[in-house]
Amino acid sequence: MEKDKEQSNKEENDKTRSLAQHTTDDSGQLLTTNHGLRINDDQNSLKAGERGATLLEDFILREKITHFDHERIPERIVHARGSGAHGVFKVYESMASLTKANFLSDPSAETPVFVRFSTVAGSRGSTDLARDVRGFAVKFYTQEGNFDLVGNNMPVFFIQDAIKFPDLVHAVKPEPDNEMPQAASAHDTFWDFISVMPEAAHMIMWVMSDRALPRSYRMMEGFGVHTFRFVNAEGVSSFVKFHWKPLLGVHAVAWDEAQNISGKDPDFHRRDLWDAIESGSFPEWELGVQVVPEEDEFKFEFDLLDPTKLIPEELVPVQRIGKLTLNRNPDNFFAETEQSAFHVGHVVPGIDFTNDPLLQGRLFSYTDTQLIRLGGPNFHEIPINRPVVPVHNNQRDGFMRQTINRGKVSYGPNALGNGYPAQAKASEGGFTSYPERVDARKVRARSKSFFDHFSQARLFFNSQSDPEKNHLIDALSFELGKVNAVEVRERMLGILSMIDKSLAAAVAFALRIPVPQDPELPVNRSIPADGDPADFDSYIFEGSLTASDALSMAGTIKEGIQTRKIAFLTADGVDEKSLSIVRDALESAGAVVEIIAPRLNFIVSGNDLQIPVHHSYLTAASVLYDAVYVPGGTNSVATVESEADAIHFLNEAFKHCKAIAADASAMQVIEATYFSNKLPADFTDQTVLKEGIVINDDPEALADKFILAIAQHRFWEREKPRKIPA
Ligand code: HDE
């Protein structure tokens, strides 16, 4: 059923995107060279005798090796590691009162999209589970041309001006002398830079929070970050912030877990996205907008043009205006995901820019980077980048030109070509920039309205639940613990103390150094040129909002267990009922159950049935699952109890705060874990602990409670007590 739906979606997408697809299918075909010559022997090169030297004449060998030698292209300078998927977007109701963008005005239109998720700092082959920002780039193939919403999973950014981007990236990338560490911000140069960039304070809170460790790409939010403009058919503009809200909620893994996943399955997020789409569990997000009328531009305590600020949802609610569904995996990673080229400057009529200085710099960067990465100016002709509407202009030639333009005329205006291609009037969909009034001196300066660097960092910290605050403190203690230069740690404590004194004290406690008493704000252009760095108090503003629920993940959607992965720890002799009743219940609720046993292929149940095994203890690991269950059956339970890997599996699941269930007859396995002595003395086999442990002798009752527990995602309360006083 789901497969049929997927197939029809695939056909629909293929149809809509037929212009953009150049697929090839080799099945049943004979081997040829790149120029169509059929190849008779692809196993042996041409030699002077069977044991002789290879001949230069062997054009087939040379063509093949040359192509291979050139198979790699430069990886993206940032966001090198990523995964993509195709899908569709549909607006719920016409947004025509706010924007003339066609794809946001017609609820019956299904716009094909390609989405690429990424980490930022790591190389193309690095782990998915690095502590990092995630890219969330969406290409809408609209009937008015491509619109790229090139966002992140965090709503703010490190810097306020594009001119600092190369510095930020040099600081976070592996250090230049020894190329270490890979895909990690926990090193001296990153924190040195941050410690003298107070404007990064807010973003640092996000990157040190669990948002930097998503459980899945399917379970993270997306943000356009900058304030953009909507412009309607009457030319009226409003400011807009874009959001993506995942229908599965926003969930993260634990830091210890993330580091383990990086070893056990560095492709964890890539695999998760791929598997969900292959199985028909299509990931979905709602597109949200926060709209601010033009006349309210100066109504806020922060500047709408400052990309280190968000608009709290309490001040401007997020309206959900449409849905994105990812329903098709790419056919070829390189051709589609790797060659996809996004650009914030790809807009359609009805969407326009603001003067956010970070956005303005990005408008230059994205085309420039594709020129080097994709080898020339014709990257828009690569199938994944082509619009679904035809392209007509007088641009010609260049490396790898695909289009065969007919005729003599490649200029305009022209008379020989009857004036075509002709400019489109606004009424014909021609793009006109919003005629924002500009009357100013040319200056290299920052607006004073950008100089509050701490109030929203504080808002974020204050909005976190206790476990989230603990994680943030642990993350800062970890990262600064990996920094060798003590003065960098000290300067960072100074920055933290400007955000929140108790936060700074908790990190200082872990580092065992005092919080500097009179920290100075670094002398750079993050404070007014005539400002006194020693007078940092004057740059510490109190925002009027003290907390915002939307900034915490604690209150996120916790309904259902669709696509959650559950491990069953088993062995020969398993009680078939205790296994299959729970498995069937979990699967009917949409979860994915995997049977783990000492050996592969199958186990034999107590009643002599063969049950397929997905993984042995060798290839499975607790960190790759959301929850774990130990079914009954005397021999199975005895084997699992004596299997060190199985006990480790449960211990890790407990440490990472996951739901754990066991048939009451498997209690001896639970007793072999380190957490058995944490269970209360009055623990009975009918109890569902608030910590998410379910033991029951009735598989049906157990399954019901287990499903409720898995849906909670994590029982963070199991962790150590809070680190900072209330
Ligand atoms: Fe990017 N960014 N960026 N960025 N960015 C790139 O373009 C850049 C920024 C984002 O999946 C590059 O094609 C500058 C903010 C995503 O292919 C490059 C500045 C946000 C992706 C570039 C920023 C982003 C990129 C590298 C500061 C969130 C991956 C490869 C002015 C709103 C897109 C490429 C994909 C990629 C430049 C800041 C998001 C070099 C100069 C803020 C999701 O052009």
Side-chain angles (χ1 to χ4, degrees):
M1 189 55 199
E2 289 296 350
K3 276 275 169 203
D4 287 349
K5 193 168 148 207
E6 188 190 5
Q7 186 56 30
S8 82
N9 277 329
K10 183 169 157 57
E11 279 160 16
E12 191 51 40
N13 281 2
D14 283 351
K15 199 170 72 206
T16 345
R17 298 229 33 238
S18 57
L19 271 173
Q21 294 294 354
H22 269 203
T23 50
T24 164
D25 181 357
D26 293 334
S27 55
Q29 302 299 318
L30 295 177
L31 195 66
T32 71
T33 66
N34 281 336
H35 300 275
L37 175 71
R38 285 188 176 168
I39 295 174
N40 170 261
D41 183 348
D42 184 48
Q43 314 301 318
N44 297 293
S45 51
L46 188 68
K47 299 183 199 80
E50 280 168 11
R51 303 181 59 250
T54 301
L55 299 179
L56 186 60
E57 181 193 318
D58 191 349
F59 61 95
I60 295 179
L61 167 76
R62 275 186 291 118
E63 182 197 80
K64 185 171 174 182
I65 298 272
T66 307
H67 194 278
F68 167 76
D69 290 344
H70 295 250
E71 271 176 11
R72 289 291 168 274
I73 61 170
E75 63 176 32
R76 291 162 171 84
I77 166 72
V78 281
H79 297 265
R81 168 77 187 173
S83 305
H86 295 270
V88 291
F89 173 79
K90 242 178 147 171
V91 72
Y92 294 144
E93 280 171 21
S94 171
M95 300 298 294
S97 61
L98 289 168
T99 172
K100 60 184 169 190
N102 239 328
F103 81 107
L104 294 177
S105 308
D106 181 1
S108 68
E110 216 171 53
T111 304
V113 300
F114 183 73
V115 177
R116 183 173 178 274
F117 302 108
S118 48
T119 55
V120 178
S123 302
R124 201 183 134 182
S126 60
T127 173
D128 281 341
L129 265 289
R131 172 179 292 285
D132 202 350
V133 187
R134 298 300 185 285
F136 192 136
V138 183
K139 191 180 283 295
F140 297 82
Y141 301 92
T142 88
Q143 292 302 317
E144 296 177 298
N146 290 350
F147 167 52
D148 292 353
L149 185 49
V150 197
N152 279 343
N153 75 329
M154 298 175 189
V156 290
F157 203 62
F158 297 92
I159 49 172
Q160 295 176 317
D161 192 306
I163 201 165
K164 299 312 297 166
F165 193 61
D167 300 292
L168 166 72
V169 175
H170 288 172
V172 71
K173 283 273 184 181
E175 296 184 4
D177 51 352
N178 57 20
E179 183 77 359
M180 292 193 281
Q182 180 54 244
S185 53
H187 58 111
D188 283 49
T189 56
F190 178 69
W191 287 101
D192 179 33
F193 179 75
I194 296 300
S195 72
V196 287
M197 284 296 279
E199 70 201 59
H202 186 192
M203 182 64 166
I204 283 302
M205 292 291 97
W206 284 84
V207 181
M208 292 300 113
S209 79
D210 293 348
R211 300 271 180 157
L213 312 170
R215 157 64 181 84
S216 158
Y217 288 138
R218 303 174 292 120
M219 300 171 199
M220 61 183 202
E221 290 183 301
F223 303 89
V225 175
H226 315 281
T227 303
F228 288 83
R229 279 179 190 282
F230 268 160
V231 185
N232 71 12
E234 287 72 49
V236 177
S237 155
S238 351
F239 296 105
V240 58
K241 292 264 193 198
F242 292 108
H243 296 244
W244 291 110
K245 299 277 188 189
L247 294 194
L248 293 176
V250 195
H251 301 286
V253 300
W255 175 227
D256 177 68
E257 191 183 0
Q259 293 174 86
N260 277 298
I261 295 173
S262 292
K264 299 283 185 188
D265 185 7
D267 304 307
F268 185 72
H269 285 155
R270 178 175 289 177
R271 193 182 311 285
D272 167 274
L273 180 66
W274 181 276
D275 287 351
I277 294 175
E278 285 301 294
S279 70
S281 305
F282 300 143
E284 292 174 316
W285 287 260
E286 287 186 305
L287 177 64
V289 290
Q290 284 177 298
V291 178
V292 176
E294 181 88 28
E295 57 274 19
D296 289 349
E297 179 171 3
F298 300 108
K299 195 176 107 177
F300 302 95
E301 287 169 338
F302 49 87
D303 196 324
L304 287 181
L305 303 187
D306 174 357
T308 66
K309 303 296 181 299
L310 49 84
I311 310 181
E313 293 190 20
E314 285 73 13
L315 303 187
V316 181
V318 176
Q319 303 173 45
R320 298 175 182 232
I321 66 166
K323 200 200 280 175
L324 165 71
T325 308
L326 297 182
N327 57 20
R328 181 161 65 92
N329 278 316
D331 291 312
N332 184 283
F333 181 89
F334 180 83
E336 301 177 88
T337 309
E338 192 59 14
Q339 294 198 111
S340 59
F342 295 86
H343 180 16
V344 260
H346 293 161
V347 287
V348 289
I351 298 177
D352 212 323
F353 315 114
T354 59
N355 296 333
D356 170 345
L358 197 69
L359 172 60
Q360 293 283 320
R362 292 179 75 198
L363 290 173
F364 161 73
S365 183
Y366 287 71
T367 305
D368 185 45
T369 210
Q370 312 309 345
L371 289 174
I372 182 85
R373 190 170 75 81
L374 298 171
N378 288 315
F379 57 86
H380 62 284
E381 295 186 333
I382 297 171
I384 194 68
N385 296 325
R386 287 187 197 174
V388 287
V389 288
V391 170
H392 297 287
N393 61 41
N394 292 315
Q395 296 174 34
R396 292 290 185 274
D397 309 347
F399 282 110
M400 298 295 162
R401 183 68 171 178
Q402 313 285 308
T403 309
I404 303 174
N405 297 97
R406 297 211 180 96
K408 291 182 193 303
V409 174
S410 56
Y411 52 87
N414 67 66
L416 289 179
N418 297 321
Y420 291 113
Q423 302 171 114
K425 298 188 190 92
S427 60
E428 293 168 323
F431 182 83
T432 54
S433 290
Y434 178 70
E436 182 181 358
R437 192 177 175 86
V438 180
D439 176 13
R441 281 181 202 284
K442 231 186 252 179
V443 287
R444 273 190 197 279
R446 210 171 293 195
S447 164
K448 287 206 169 163
S449 54
F450 279 42
F451 288 137
D452 162 21
H453 303 311
F454 305 113
S455 69
Q456 286 208 349
R458 194 174 309 117
L459 173 69
F460 180 83
F461 185 67
N462 287 340
S463 306
Q464 304 301 297
S465 62
D466 286 351
E468 287 172 309
K469 281 186 178 165
N470 281 345
H471 295 171
L472 216 153
I473 291 162
D474 283 345
L476 282 162
S477 307
F478 176 94
E479 297 262 320
L480 295 175
K482 291 265 191 173
V483 165
N484 294 318
V486 177
E487 70 269 24
V488 171
R489 294 186 192 158
E490 284 170 346
R491 269 203 309 276
M492 270 317 300
L493 289 177
I495 296 268
L496 296 180
S497 71
M498 296 178 208
I499 299 172
D500 185 280
K501 295 265 185 280
S502 62
L503 165 66
V507 178
F509 181 79
L511 301 179
R512 214 164 182 164
I513 45 173
V515 180
Q517 283 313 299
D518 290 309
E520 289 204 347
L521 268 180
V523 186
N524 63 21
R525 303 299 164 84
S526 307
I527 61 170
D530 55 358
D532 174 2
D535 180 22
F536 73 85
D537 278 344
S538 56
Y539 307 111
I540 300 192
F541 301 88
E542 287 301 331
S544 32
L545 199 64
T546 48
S548 167
D549 285 349
L551 305 183
S552 162
M553 294 158 68
T556 191
I557 302 167
K558 291 176 183 164
E559 292 154 13
I561 60 167
Q562 299 86 340
T563 73
R564 294 300 190 145
K565 284 186 78 176
I566 323 297
F568 280 26
L569 306 186
T570 69
D572 283 341
V574 71
D575 175 345
E576 193 258 328
K577 265 190 153 173
S578 156
L579 182 147
S580 59
I581 292 176
V582 179
R583 180 184 57 198
D584 294 352
L586 295 178
E587 286 181 348
S588 350
V592 178
V593 169
E594 292 194 346
I595 309 287
I596 297 162
R599 291 188 296 153
L600 273 180
N601 206 6
F602 61 87
I603 43 172
V604 181
S605 65
N607 56 349
D608 273 347
L609 288 176
Q610 281 193 5
I611 299 173
V613 166
H614 298 86
H615 283 289
S616 74
Y617 289 107
L618 209 55
T619 57
S622 167
V623 291
L624 306 178
Y625 296 89
D626 291 293
V628 49
Y629 170 54
V630 188
T634 314
N635 287 343
S636 173
V637 166
T639 310
V640 171
E641 185 199 352
S642 62
E643 178 75 58
D645 287 336
I647 301 304
H648 178 63
F649 202 111
L650 285 158
N651 284 338
E652 267 201 327
F654 183 82
K655 181 178 174 196
H656 299 143
C657 305
K658 295 175 183 176
I660 296 171
D663 188 288
S665 69
M667 193 59 193
Q668 70 201 71
V669 176
I670 300 296
E671 278 160 5
T673 66
Y674 89 99
F675 57 88
S676 66
N677 63 13
K678 297 187 187 297
L679 304 179
D682 59 354
F683 184 78
T684 72
D685 63 1
Q686 301 299 319
T687 313
V688 183
L689 279 186
K690 83 171 187 317
E691 287 88 358
I693 297 179
V694 184
I695 314 273
N696 208 303
D697 55 8
D698 169 7
E700 274 165 26
L702 179 144
D704 288 347
K705 291 176 181 167
F706 194 27
I707 288 172
L708 291 178
I710 300 166
Q712 291 309 301
H713 180 62
R714 291 303 165 88
F715 294 85
W716 299 121
E717 299 75 17
R718 247 184 235 163
E719 291 176 333
K720 35 198 174 223
R722 59 182 298 157
K723 298 200 157 173
I724 55 172

